[in-house]
Amino acid sequence: EFENLPIYFMRFFGSCPIDMVIDAMEYSHYVHDVRHVILDNLQFMTSGQARGIDKYDVLDTAVQKCRRFATENNVHVSLVVH
């Protein structure tokens, strides 16, 4: 039943490189067999990593890496974007 499923939290706050987050997701999938990851919030996670139009490249790269992780590991990734 749903209420008996375990829940794990990653300890990332503020801006951090997407590769660090992907590494934590890979570890969680391997060690805990995590099948669903929720990242809240993509803009906050990537804030301050680029300026102007370049910030869209940072967002695009983050989404691309999350998509690759999800596909290669058969893990559902939900991205909160606002």
Side-chain angles (χ1 to χ4, degrees):
E1 295 185 19
F2 184 77
E3 63 268 6
N4 294 326
L5 293 174
I7 187 167
Y8 303 97
F9 294 92
M10 295 186 288
R11 296 187 181 269
F12 291 102
F13 302 98
S15 182
C16 59
I18 187 63
D19 291 334
M20 286 178 60
V21 176
I22 296 294
D23 287 345
M25 291 165 42
E26 288 173 343
Y27 175 84
S28 298
H29 171 64
Y30 179 76
V31 172
H32 301 293
D33 196 30
V34 167
R35 294 286 178 197
H36 188 177
V37 175
I38 302 170
L39 296 177
D40 183 5
N41 143 344
L42 185 62
Q43 283 90 340
F44 190 61
M45 185 176 70
T46 59
S47 65
Q49 296 182 26
R51 295 181 155 252
I53 197 74
D54 293 334
K55 64 183 166 185
Y56 296 108
D57 290 333
V58 172
L59 289 169
D60 187 55
T61 298
V63 170
Q64 180 266 330
K65 289 182 178 187
C66 288
R67 185 182 313 123
R68 182 184 316 134
F69 167 80
T71 301
E72 291 176 353
N73 295 287
N74 196 30
V75 174
H76 183 84
V77 177
S78 296
L79 293 175
V80 177
V81 180
H82 53 84

